[in-house]
Amino acid sequence: MLVAAAVCPCPPLLVPEVAAGAAPELDRAREACADALGVLAAARPGRLVVVGPAERDGRYAQGARGSFRGFGVDLDVRLGQGGAEQEAPEGQLPASLAVAAWLLDRAERSVPVEGVAVAEPLAAERCISLGRDIAGAAERVALLVMGDASACRTLKAPGYLDDRAAGFDAAVARALATVDVAALKALDAGLAGELLVSGRAPWQVLAGAAEEADLSGSLLYDDAPYGVGYLVATWS
């Protein structure tokens, strides 16, 4: 059963060493993420599952390793404490889960953790089914859901300006704030792809996991630095 969830963005720029001189621009987002992880800890889950977008599906055990070397920074992370000493068969953590590992390393956590990568084109029905399976795997499950909103909010955004982006992001923000599971399930995968939304599949995994839960939501952060929508929310 899902007892709590935190939704966070996953740009590597959240890691100050990666952002370098631009690091202060995301201080508010980092603070919101830290507050969201505090909500997860307060729920006292028996298992924490981190879900994030990736090029391909994969599962990562506690202790799986990730790195920010591909972003020019000599920084390695591990998903939770202990666990596997060797690199997982799936390879290193994808970037979204590496960011999650970095966040978790700075938060109070003492529960078993595992990572689930979902390929961004994964159909809504499969995302929802995966969420149901995750929620049913233990008595008290918490989710850390990584993913960005649209990357088309300004002329200088990675996807340039798309007039549909702000409305899409606002709808997601409302759904996260109000625990609107139906709205998350109904997100248009095609439109999300056109707007370069990386969080659509993870958010729909959350929707599947929360079907039988009675949770309240709170939106902690909603902004679009660099023209990319970043949202932080909690369900508890």
Side-chain angles (χ1 to χ4, degrees):
M1 174 69 72
L2 183 71
V3 296
V7 175
C8 294
C10 59
L13 289 174
L14 271 182
V15 180
E17 292 88 338
V18 175
E25 296 178 19
L26 289 179
D27 279 347
R28 285 181 52 239
R30 294 185 193 96
E31 292 169 3
C33 289
D35 290 343
L37 292 182
V39 171
L40 292 188
R44 300 187 179 279
R47 175 182 297 180
L48 173 62
V49 180
V50 182
V51 180
E55 292 184 359
R56 61 186 180 89
D57 297 340
R59 288 186 176 261
Y60 298 84
Q62 180 163 313
R65 298 177 183 274
S67 174
F68 294 98
R69 296 173 191 267
F71 300 95
V73 176
D74 185 13
L75 177 63
D76 297 326
V77 291
R78 296 181 68 178
L79 186 63
Q81 297 174 325
E85 292 296 330
Q86 303 296 324
E87 186 175 289
E90 296 89 344
Q92 286 199 332
L93 295 170
S96 65
L97 298 187
V99 173
W102 181 85
L103 290 172
L104 288 170
D105 194 42
R106 283 146 187 81
E108 177 185 349
R109 75 240 188 278
S110 58
V111 300
V113 58
E114 65 175 304
V116 177
V118 288
E120 294 179 42
L122 193 66
E125 294 77 9
R126 293 186 60 192
C127 294
I128 294 164
S129 178
L130 174 60
R132 292 170 182 150
D133 291 343
I134 291 173
E139 185 175 350
R140 296 183 63 81
V141 177
L143 283 180
L144 173 54
V145 182
M146 308 297 293
D148 301 340
S150 68
C152 303
R153 293 279 292 272
T154 66
L155 294 174
K156 295 184 178 180
Y160 195 65
L161 176 65
D162 190 312
D163 292 338
R164 302 171 295 175
F168 183 96
D169 291 356
V172 174
R174 286 193 299 270
L176 293 176
T178 60
V179 193
D180 191 339
V181 170
L184 293 180
K185 287 182 178 180
L187 289 175
D188 187 328
L191 177 58
E194 293 174 11
L195 297 176
L196 306 183
V197 176
S198 72
R200 189 274 311 171
W203 298 332
Q204 290 184 321
V205 172
L206 169 61
E211 285 179 333
E212 302 299 325
D214 183 16
L215 304 176
S216 298
S218 180
L219 188 66
L220 307 184
Y221 181 87
D222 178 3
D223 204 352
Y226 318 116
V228 181
Y230 296 150
L231 301 168
V232 180
T234 58
W235 290 9
S236 63

